[in-house]
Amino acid sequence: MKRSEPRFWQSREKAGKPTQTGIVFFPAFDWAISPTHPEREERLLYTRDQLFEEGIMDLPQIREYQPRLAELKDIARVHFCVPSIEAQITEAHLVAAGGALVIADALMNGEVRNGFALVRPPGHHSMRVTHGNRGFCNINNEPIMIEYLRKKYGIKRIAIVDTDVHHGDGTQDIYWHDPDVLFISFHQDGRTLYPGSGFTDEIGGPLALGTTLNVPLPPGTTDTGINFVLEELVLPVLEKFQPELVVNSAGQDNHYTDPLANMRFSARGYAVLNERLAPDIAVLEGGYSVETALPYVNLGILMAMAGIDYSNLYEPDYQADKFRESSDRMRVLERIVRELTTVFDNREALVAAAREKHDQFARRYRRIFYDTDYIHEEQQENLRMCPDCPGYWTIDSQALHQVGERYQVYCISVPVQGCPRCHKDAVELYEKMIAAPDRRFDFVYLQDRVDDVYRQFDVTRKQERVL
């Protein structure tokens, strides 16, 4: 089963079909966690050299774009940044997110058939509430792009396929309660790798059950195993979900030389995956084998998206006979595919059962650890079980920083599909909380995606900021 054309083009035939693949390249020379940290600018410098040496950038199938700055409102549409957006970002973050927006505009304006944002810093571990950096991420580039697409172009149903070796826990968190965004992540089993999540029983919030699917891959999985998951689970689910756009959260650390993981994926395997998946947009995530993987994997993804022959693409040390899939791993993958196919096919029944189980609000308690900044966060979440929309939700978040600094914030979010009742009640809740502030909280937030208005109230200073 193959997606013959991006769904987007089915409604834009009159505009004609562009033939080029867009690319934005931003290595972020001035941003690194430390000079020797794996997440540094060299990740993309070798890729740039490879693309130029192979003459890829001169081909008529490729169209290069320059990134721009994302706006603060683009970030507020996705995140509750504590204590402020400015405290969580640098200019490099704005350019990386803005690079994804440039590709999104080029696609929607019919200038390119698809696009690849080769940008850093990465983002897929950044969650709705962000107190600092976790998993090398402060803000999440793909959701920022997706919410921009929803607001500017009215896109409703989007699928994200996360191919990073680490579970995309931040993206999962952002779309946990959204039934119109299908999130599929396949990654090395969380029992063996950061962030320790992404198991098959993580399937979405009560009103979005079955639209989050996680495939924990056994360490050592090869091209054969990963593309089995693609063919037997991902592509059939996409056919049923019928997204308007497919986004590849393109992590490249499943590669067999990556120093932070234990998988056996090759550059050619990545190319096959992207040819079959046919994403409308790919956005770079992780991948830390700077010289021996990233130049070849990025080249393979770009060639596959542009329809360029990649049959001679191999790493210099690649030997096919050393990458045979084991029967034990295949049995594990077959079981996972059967389990998740059942979950997805029964998602409506799962939501109906959840409505029976919960009262007016569904509650969830969580602990989140920020490994980069050593922050411990606790969240108490409440979701309104609305019969007419995905429901508004609130988060009471407390964070303890390594240096002893503490923040407690209260966040209210109305989804873009929010019904009039949820919208009204959420706005009234925010107004009530700032009229008589609870001194436990440092800040109160309202994320109103219906009206595209984002408010933050400083309880101590009694000042409000509106974006």
Side-chain angles (χ1 to χ4, degrees):
M1 187 180 299
K2 182 178 180 179
R3 297 177 60 234
S4 56
E5 290 289 344
R7 298 289 179 270
F8 170 59
W9 299 117
Q10 294 180 356
S11 61
R12 294 176 64 87
E13 291 290 339
K14 292 181 180 177
K17 294 181 181 180
T19 58
Q20 292 181 300
T21 292
I23 181 171
V24 167
F25 196 87
F26 179 64
F29 288 107
D30 60 349
W31 186 87
I33 292 175
S34 73
T36 57
H37 195 279
E39 180 50 65
R40 62 185 189 275
E41 65 269 25
E42 283 90 342
R43 287 187 60 216
L44 291 189
L45 298 184
Y46 284 92
T47 290
R48 185 183 63 180
D49 291 346
Q50 185 82 15
L51 295 179
F52 278 99
E53 287 175 7
E54 299 291 340
I56 297 296
M57 303 304 291
D58 297 327
L59 295 175
Q61 297 97 321
I62 304 297
R63 182 170 177 174
E64 186 175 9
Y65 290 84
Q66 296 302 314
R68 66 171 174 85
L69 292 172
E71 298 178 6
L72 298 184
K73 190 170 185 176
D74 296 320
I75 298 168
R77 204 174 277 131
V78 173
H79 294 293
F80 300 101
C81 293
V82 184
S84 66
I85 297 174
E86 290 87 344
Q88 294 301 332
I89 62 169
T90 63
E91 188 173 73
H93 291 94
L94 292 177
V95 179
L101 303 187
V102 166
I103 287 294
D105 281 331
L107 178 76
M108 298 305 295
N109 291 331
E111 299 169 15
V112 296
R113 64 193 291 259
N114 53 29
F116 189 7
L118 272 163
V119 296
R120 60 177 291 276
H124 78 148
H125 294 302
S126 180
M127 298 184 172
R128 291 171 290 181
V129 182
T130 176
H131 289 273
N133 189 302
R134 60 186 304 277
F136 316 157
C137 305
N138 285 88
I139 60 171
N140 200 325
N141 298 324
E142 283 105 7
I144 289 171
M145 179 186 72
I146 287 170
E147 295 311 312
Y148 174 83
L149 282 164
R150 283 174 140 180
K151 180 59 187 174
K152 186 172 181 179
Y153 299 102
I155 297 291
K156 295 180 179 177
R157 290 172 73 82
I158 295 179
I160 306 168
V161 180
D162 190 317
T163 58
D164 194 282
V165 77
H166 304 92
H167 175 227
D169 56 346
T171 309
Q172 171 175 294
D173 177 66
I174 290 166
Y175 290 112
W176 186 251
H177 294 304
D178 193 329
D180 292 326
V181 176
L182 172 66
F183 176 69
I184 305 174
S185 176
F186 50 88
H187 44 264
Q188 185 173 321
D189 192 317
R191 293 172 294 185
T192 64
L193 193 68
Y194 177 88
S197 56
F199 300 104
T200 56
D201 60 350
E202 298 170 39
I203 59 174
L207 298 180
L209 288 166
T211 51
T212 292
L213 300 176
N214 284 292
V215 184
L217 299 166
T221 301
T222 66
D223 292 6
T224 301
I226 290 178
N227 283 315
F228 169 81
V229 172
L230 177 76
E231 297 290 343
E232 300 300 322
L233 176 69
V234 177
L235 295 182
V237 164
L238 288 176
E239 287 293 330
K240 297 172 187 173
F241 188 72
Q242 290 288 298
E244 295 166 75
L245 292 177
V246 174
V247 176
N248 179 11
S249 186
Q252 299 165 4
D253 31 16
N254 276 297
H255 192 265
Y256 63 86
T257 63
D258 195 276
L260 303 187
N262 310 98
M263 302 299 278
R264 302 282 285 168
F265 210 32
S266 71
R268 189 185 175 92
Y270 271 104
V272 171
L273 184 153
N274 278 276
E275 181 182 27
R276 302 287 291 130
L277 180 63
D280 299 285
I281 300 173
V283 180
L284 181 68
E285 287 297 342
Y288 305 99
S289 180
V290 172
E291 296 182 58
T292 55
L294 288 175
Y296 303 99
V297 174
N298 285 324
L299 183 64
I301 293 174
L302 189 59
M303 293 174 77
M305 292 182 71
I308 301 170
D309 179 16
Y310 57 82
S311 59
N312 291 318
L313 175 68
Y314 291 105
E315 300 86 339
D317 65 342
Y318 180 78
Q319 298 179 45
D321 59 346
K322 295 184 177 179
F323 292 79
R324 299 189 186 284
E325 193 55 270
S326 77
S327 57
D328 286 345
R329 279 193 293 267
M330 286 304 297
R331 280 193 289 273
V332 171
L333 297 177
E334 289 166 359
R335 175 184 57 76
I336 292 173
V337 166
R338 286 195 300 273
E339 178 183 346
L340 294 181
T341 298
T342 300
V343 166
F344 183 79
D345 290 344
N346 289 282
R347 60 193 185 283
E348 292 181 1
L350 292 169
V351 171
R355 289 190 184 280
E356 293 291 325
K357 176 182 177 181
H358 296 284
D359 298 325
Q360 186 178 0
F361 286 90
R363 294 172 175 80
R364 181 169 69 143
Y365 172 79
R366 309 170 64 203
R367 287 184 175 180
I368 299 165
F369 178 61
Y370 293 60
D371 61 306
T372 310
D373 283 347
Y374 290 90
I375 299 169
H376 293 268
E377 181 188 3
E378 295 184 39
Q379 289 188 0
Q380 180 67 53
E381 177 187 281
N382 290 295
L383 170 73
R384 168 179 269 183
M385 297 294 291
C386 180
D388 302 316
C389 76
Y392 80 86
W393 45 260
T394 66
I395 295 177
D396 178 343
S397 165
Q398 301 181 58
L400 174 61
H401 291 240
Q402 183 181 16
V403 295
E405 194 173 27
R406 291 176 180 271
Y407 283 104
Q408 184 168 2
V409 300
Y410 194 81
C411 311
I412 306 167
S413 181
V414 189
V416 68
Q417 319 94 317
C419 68
R421 181 188 171 206
C422 279
H423 186 212
K424 175 176 177 291
D425 288 355
V427 173
E428 287 181 353
L429 175 59
Y430 173 79
E431 297 286 0
K432 180 181 178 182
M433 291 196 70
I434 68 171
D438 185 333
R439 292 290 179 181
R440 291 178 301 161
F441 300 112
D442 298 288
F443 300 98
V444 179
Y445 298 80
L446 174 65
Q447 188 179 66
D448 181 353
R449 290 181 179 168
V450 173
D451 286 342
D452 200 32
V453 174
Y454 306 94
R455 303 168 67 178
Q456 177 180 352
F457 184 75
D458 185 325
V459 172
T460 302
R461 296 180 178 177
K462 294 183 171 56
Q463 293 178 347
E464 185 182 48
R465 183 185 195 187
V466 181
L467 293 174

